[in-house]
mmCIF file of all heavy atoms in Angstrom:
data_model
loop_
_atom_site.group_PDB
_atom_site.id
_atom_site.type_symbol
_atom_site.label_atom_id
_atom_site.label_comp_id
_atom_site.label_asym_id
_atom_site.label_seq_id
_atom_site.Cartn_x
_atom_site.Cartn_y
_atom_site.Cartn_z
ATOM 1 N N ILE A 1 -35.241 65.024 -197.497
ATOM 2 C CA ILE A 1 -35.505 64.185 -196.335
ATOM 3 C C ILE A 1 -35.709 65.101 -195.137
ATOM 4 O O ILE A 1 -34.994 66.085 -194.970
ATOM 5 C CB ILE A 1 -34.365 63.166 -196.108
ATOM 6 C CG1 ILE A 1 -34.722 62.208 -194.980
ATOM 7 C CG2 ILE A 1 -33.049 63.842 -195.892
ATOM 8 C CD1 ILE A 1 -33.813 60.999 -194.912
ATOM 9 N N GLU A 2 -36.694 64.792 -194.344
ATOM 10 C CA GLU A 2 -37.040 65.622 -193.191
ATOM 11 C C GLU A 2 -36.252 65.200 -191.962
ATOM 12 O O GLU A 2 -35.790 64.064 -191.856
ATOM 13 C CB GLU A 2 -38.541 65.510 -192.908
ATOM 14 C CG GLU A 2 -39.414 65.961 -194.076
ATOM 15 C CD GLU A 2 -39.205 67.413 -194.460
ATOM 16 O OE1 GLU A 2 -39.029 68.258 -193.557
ATOM 17 O OE2 GLU A 2 -39.197 67.705 -195.660
ATOM 18 N N GLY A 3 -36.141 66.098 -191.013
ATOM 19 C CA GLY A 3 -35.416 65.858 -189.770
ATOM 20 C C GLY A 3 -35.831 64.584 -189.046
ATOM 21 O O GLY A 3 -34.966 63.805 -188.630
ATOM 22 N N PRO A 4 -37.146 64.335 -188.861
ATOM 23 C CA PRO A 4 -37.557 63.102 -188.168
ATOM 24 C C PRO A 4 -37.117 61.825 -188.886
ATOM 25 O O PRO A 4 -36.779 60.838 -188.244
ATOM 26 C CB PRO A 4 -39.086 63.204 -188.128
ATOM 27 C CG PRO A 4 -39.367 64.666 -188.197
ATOM 28 C CD PRO A 4 -38.279 65.232 -189.093
ATOM 29 N N GLU A 5 -37.098 61.850 -190.230
ATOM 30 C CA GLU A 5 -36.648 60.680 -190.982
ATOM 31 C C GLU A 5 -35.151 60.440 -190.768
ATOM 32 O O GLU A 5 -34.712 59.304 -190.626
ATOM 33 C CB GLU A 5 -36.929 60.863 -192.474
ATOM 34 C CG GLU A 5 -38.400 60.890 -192.821
ATOM 35 C CD GLU A 5 -38.631 61.288 -194.261
ATOM 36 O OE1 GLU A 5 -38.215 62.387 -194.651
ATOM 37 O OE2 GLU A 5 -39.230 60.467 -194.988
ATOM 38 N N ILE A 6 -34.378 61.517 -190.733
ATOM 39 C CA ILE A 6 -32.942 61.400 -190.485
ATOM 40 C C ILE A 6 -32.704 60.878 -189.072
ATOM 41 O O ILE A 6 -31.886 59.982 -188.856
ATOM 42 C CB ILE A 6 -32.236 62.749 -190.695
ATOM 43 C CG1 ILE A 6 -32.262 63.126 -192.185
ATOM 44 C CG2 ILE A 6 -30.796 62.706 -190.184
ATOM 45 C CD1 ILE A 6 -31.781 64.523 -192.477
ATOM 46 N N ASP A 7 -33.434 61.437 -188.096
ATOM 47 C CA ASP A 7 -33.301 60.993 -186.711
ATOM 48 C C ASP A 7 -33.640 59.511 -186.572
ATOM 49 O O ASP A 7 -32.959 58.771 -185.857
ATOM 50 C CB ASP A 7 -34.186 61.824 -185.780
ATOM 51 C CG ASP A 7 -33.734 63.266 -185.672
ATOM 52 O OD1 ASP A 7 -32.567 63.570 -186.030
ATOM 53 O OD2 ASP A 7 -34.558 64.101 -185.253
ATOM 54 N N ASP A 8 -34.704 59.078 -187.259
ATOM 55 C CA ASP A 8 -35.117 57.672 -187.204
ATOM 56 C C ASP A 8 -34.042 56.766 -187.789
ATOM 57 O O ASP A 8 -33.706 55.722 -187.212
ATOM 58 C CB ASP A 8 -36.443 57.478 -187.945
ATOM 59 C CG ASP A 8 -36.896 56.027 -187.929
ATOM 60 O OD1 ASP A 8 -37.050 55.464 -186.817
ATOM 61 O OD2 ASP A 8 -37.088 55.457 -189.019
ATOM 62 N N LEU A 9 -33.471 57.157 -188.925
ATOM 63 C CA LEU A 9 -32.430 56.344 -189.543
ATOM 64 C C LEU A 9 -31.202 56.265 -188.642
ATOM 65 O O LEU A 9 -30.654 55.180 -188.422
ATOM 66 C CB LEU A 9 -32.047 56.906 -190.906
ATOM 67 C CG LEU A 9 -30.918 56.171 -191.633
ATOM 68 C CD1 LEU A 9 -31.214 54.683 -191.798
ATOM 69 C CD2 LEU A 9 -30.658 56.830 -192.974
ATOM 70 N N ASN A 10 -30.769 57.386 -188.081
ATOM 71 C CA ASN A 10 -29.611 57.367 -187.184
ATOM 72 C C ASN A 10 -29.888 56.523 -185.950
ATOM 73 O O ASN A 10 -29.011 55.809 -185.467
ATOM 74 C CB ASN A 10 -29.207 58.789 -186.787
ATOM 75 C CG ASN A 10 -28.432 59.474 -187.886
ATOM 76 O OD1 ASN A 10 -27.604 58.876 -188.545
ATOM 77 N ND2 ASN A 10 -28.724 60.748 -188.084
ATOM 78 N N SER A 11 -31.109 56.571 -185.442
ATOM 79 C CA SER A 11 -31.481 55.751 -184.293
ATOM 80 C C SER A 11 -31.397 54.265 -184.647
ATOM 81 O O SER A 11 -30.861 53.458 -183.886
ATOM 82 C CB SER A 11 -32.889 56.108 -183.832
ATOM 83 O OG SER A 11 -33.299 55.264 -182.795
ATOM 84 N N ARG A 12 -31.922 53.895 -185.822
ATOM 85 C CA ARG A 12 -31.873 52.494 -186.251
ATOM 86 C C ARG A 12 -30.445 52.025 -186.498
ATOM 87 O O ARG A 12 -30.106 50.879 -186.237
ATOM 88 C CB ARG A 12 -32.732 52.288 -187.492
ATOM 89 C CG ARG A 12 -34.203 52.414 -187.174
ATOM 90 C CD ARG A 12 -35.127 52.080 -188.307
ATOM 91 N NE ARG A 12 -34.468 51.666 -189.520
ATOM 92 C CZ ARG A 12 -34.961 51.848 -190.728
ATOM 93 N NH1 ARG A 12 -36.119 52.423 -190.900
ATOM 94 N NH2 ARG A 12 -34.313 51.439 -191.793
ATOM 95 N N LEU A 13 -29.582 52.934 -186.987
ATOM 96 C CA LEU A 13 -28.181 52.574 -187.194
ATOM 97 C C LEU A 13 -27.505 52.200 -185.879
ATOM 98 O O LEU A 13 -26.651 51.322 -185.830
ATOM 99 C CB LEU A 13 -27.408 53.729 -187.838
ATOM 100 C CG LEU A 13 -27.669 53.999 -189.314
ATOM 101 C CD1 LEU A 13 -26.990 55.293 -189.743
ATOM 102 C CD2 LEU A 13 -27.220 52.841 -190.189
ATOM 103 N N ASN A 14 -27.899 52.871 -184.799
ATOM 104 C CA ASN A 14 -27.209 52.690 -183.525
ATOM 105 C C ASN A 14 -27.898 51.738 -182.557
ATOM 106 O O ASN A 14 -27.409 51.543 -181.450
ATOM 107 C CB ASN A 14 -26.975 54.052 -182.872
ATOM 108 C CG ASN A 14 -25.958 54.836 -183.662
ATOM 109 O OD1 ASN A 14 -24.837 54.390 -183.850
ATOM 110 N ND2 ASN A 14 -26.361 55.986 -184.163
ATOM 111 N N GLU A 15 -29.022 51.127 -182.961
ATOM 112 C CA GLU A 15 -29.665 50.122 -182.114
ATOM 113 C C GLU A 15 -28.799 48.872 -182.087
ATOM 114 O O GLU A 15 -28.153 48.525 -183.062
ATOM 115 C CB GLU A 15 -31.052 49.762 -182.653
ATOM 116 C CG GLU A 15 -32.072 50.841 -182.418
ATOM 117 C CD GLU A 15 -33.437 50.464 -182.997
ATOM 118 O OE1 GLU A 15 -33.575 49.397 -183.622
ATOM 119 O OE2 GLU A 15 -34.356 51.268 -182.818
ATOM 120 N N HIS A 16 -28.818 48.196 -180.962
ATOM 121 C CA HIS A 16 -27.994 46.991 -180.813
ATOM 122 C C HIS A 16 -28.848 45.738 -180.732
ATOM 123 O O HIS A 16 -28.427 44.741 -180.172
ATOM 124 C CB HIS A 16 -27.112 47.111 -179.570
ATOM 125 C CG HIS A 16 -26.152 48.252 -179.664
ATOM 126 N ND1 HIS A 16 -25.075 48.241 -180.515
ATOM 127 C CD2 HIS A 16 -26.132 49.449 -179.052
ATOM 128 C CE1 HIS A 16 -24.413 49.377 -180.407
ATOM 129 N NE2 HIS A 16 -25.032 50.130 -179.527
ATOM 130 N N GLN A 17 -30.040 45.771 -181.272
ATOM 131 C CA GLN A 17 -30.910 44.601 -181.225
ATOM 132 C C GLN A 17 -30.544 43.647 -182.344
ATOM 133 O O GLN A 17 -30.407 44.041 -183.496
ATOM 134 C CB GLN A 17 -32.376 45.028 -181.380
ATOM 135 C CG GLN A 17 -32.853 45.959 -180.291
ATOM 136 C CD GLN A 17 -34.245 46.486 -180.581
ATOM 137 O OE1 GLN A 17 -34.879 46.080 -181.538
ATOM 138 N NE2 GLN A 17 -34.708 47.389 -179.744
ATOM 139 N N SER A 18 -30.407 42.388 -182.011
ATOM 140 C CA SER A 18 -30.018 41.412 -183.021
ATOM 141 C C SER A 18 -31.167 41.041 -183.942
ATOM 142 O O SER A 18 -30.939 40.605 -185.052
ATOM 143 C CB SER A 18 -29.463 40.154 -182.347
ATOM 144 O OG SER A 18 -30.454 39.576 -181.517
ATOM 145 N N GLY A 19 -32.403 41.226 -183.531
ATOM 146 C CA GLY A 19 -33.538 40.814 -184.335
ATOM 147 C C GLY A 19 -34.119 41.905 -185.204
ATOM 148 O O GLY A 19 -35.128 41.697 -185.847
ATOM 149 N N GLN A 20 -33.484 43.076 -185.250
ATOM 150 C CA GLN A 20 -34.058 44.176 -186.014
ATOM 151 C C GLN A 20 -33.920 43.941 -187.514
ATOM 152 O O GLN A 20 -33.093 43.165 -187.966
ATOM 153 C CB GLN A 20 -33.411 45.500 -185.633
ATOM 154 C CG GLN A 20 -32.029 45.712 -186.224
ATOM 155 C CD GLN A 20 -31.446 47.047 -185.822
ATOM 156 O OE1 GLN A 20 -31.763 47.572 -184.782
ATOM 157 N NE2 GLN A 20 -30.584 47.579 -186.643
ATOM 158 N N GLU A 21 -34.759 44.630 -188.266
ATOM 159 C CA GLU A 21 -34.688 44.571 -189.722
ATOM 160 C C GLU A 21 -33.313 45.051 -190.167
ATOM 161 O O GLU A 21 -32.788 46.033 -189.656
ATOM 162 C CB GLU A 21 -35.772 45.482 -190.309
ATOM 163 C CG GLU A 21 -35.648 45.686 -191.789
ATOM 164 C CD GLU A 21 -36.509 46.822 -192.290
ATOM 165 O OE1 GLU A 21 -37.280 47.392 -191.514
ATOM 166 O OE2 GLU A 21 -36.378 47.141 -193.468
ATOM 167 N N ILE A 22 -32.719 44.347 -191.108
ATOM 168 C CA ILE A 22 -31.402 44.732 -191.603
ATOM 169 C C ILE A 22 -31.566 45.265 -193.026
ATOM 170 O O ILE A 22 -31.929 44.534 -193.936
ATOM 171 C CB ILE A 22 -30.422 43.540 -191.603
ATOM 172 C CG1 ILE A 22 -30.246 42.974 -190.200
ATOM 173 C CG2 ILE A 22 -29.091 43.949 -192.188
ATOM 174 C CD1 ILE A 22 -29.598 43.920 -189.209
ATOM 175 N N THR A 23 -31.314 46.558 -193.190
ATOM 176 C CA THR A 23 -31.292 47.146 -194.520
ATOM 177 C C THR A 23 -29.838 47.321 -194.924
ATOM 178 O O THR A 23 -28.928 47.133 -194.115
ATOM 179 C CB THR A 23 -32.001 48.512 -194.539
ATOM 180 O OG1 THR A 23 -31.282 49.410 -193.688
ATOM 181 C CG2 THR A 23 -33.443 48.406 -194.078
ATOM 182 N N GLY A 24 -29.601 47.707 -196.153
ATOM 183 C CA GLY A 24 -28.243 47.866 -196.650
ATOM 184 C C GLY A 24 -27.406 48.801 -195.794
ATOM 185 O O GLY A 24 -26.281 48.481 -195.422
ATOM 186 N N LEU A 25 -27.944 49.983 -195.470
ATOM 187 C CA LEU A 25 -27.186 50.949 -194.682
ATOM 188 C C LEU A 25 -26.891 50.424 -193.283
ATOM 189 O O LEU A 25 -25.782 50.602 -192.767
ATOM 190 C CB LEU A 25 -27.926 52.278 -194.587
ATOM 191 C CG LEU A 25 -27.983 53.113 -195.864
ATOM 192 C CD1 LEU A 25 -28.852 54.348 -195.653
ATOM 193 C CD2 LEU A 25 -26.598 53.503 -196.330
ATOM 194 N N ILE A 26 -27.860 49.795 -192.666
ATOM 195 C CA ILE A 26 -27.656 49.261 -191.311
ATOM 196 C C ILE A 26 -26.612 48.148 -191.341
ATOM 197 O O ILE A 26 -25.736 48.080 -190.477
ATOM 198 C CB ILE A 26 -28.992 48.775 -190.709
ATOM 199 C CG1 ILE A 26 -29.910 49.984 -190.471
ATOM 200 C CG2 ILE A 26 -28.765 48.007 -189.415
ATOM 201 C CD1 ILE A 26 -31.336 49.631 -190.109
ATOM 202 N N ASN A 27 -26.674 47.297 -192.351
ATOM 203 C CA ASN A 27 -25.705 46.214 -192.482
ATOM 204 C C ASN A 27 -24.291 46.777 -192.655
ATOM 205 O O ASN A 27 -23.345 46.309 -192.001
ATOM 206 C CB ASN A 27 -26.084 45.317 -193.661
ATOM 207 C CG ASN A 27 -25.251 44.071 -193.731
ATOM 208 O OD1 ASN A 27 -24.804 43.545 -192.724
ATOM 209 N ND2 ASN A 27 -25.039 43.593 -194.943
#
C-alpha cells in the first residue's frame, strides 16, 4: 500500500460527516 492510500484511509477514518460512505474499517 502506498503512502497516499494510507493517508486517504486515515483521513476517511477521522472525518465526522454523517453522510459519508461507511466501510467496515470506518464503522
Side-chain angles (χ1 to χ4, degrees):
I1 186 167
E2 300 299 321
E5 293 171 301
I6 292 171
D7 293 342
D8 179 57
L9 178 55
N10 282 320
S11 176
R12 290 186 1 209
L13 286 172
N14 291 302
E15 286 179 357
H16 298 289
Q17 299 173 5
S18 60
Q20 77 179 28
E21 170 193 355
I22 300 295
T23 63
L25 289 175
I26 293 170
N27 189 31

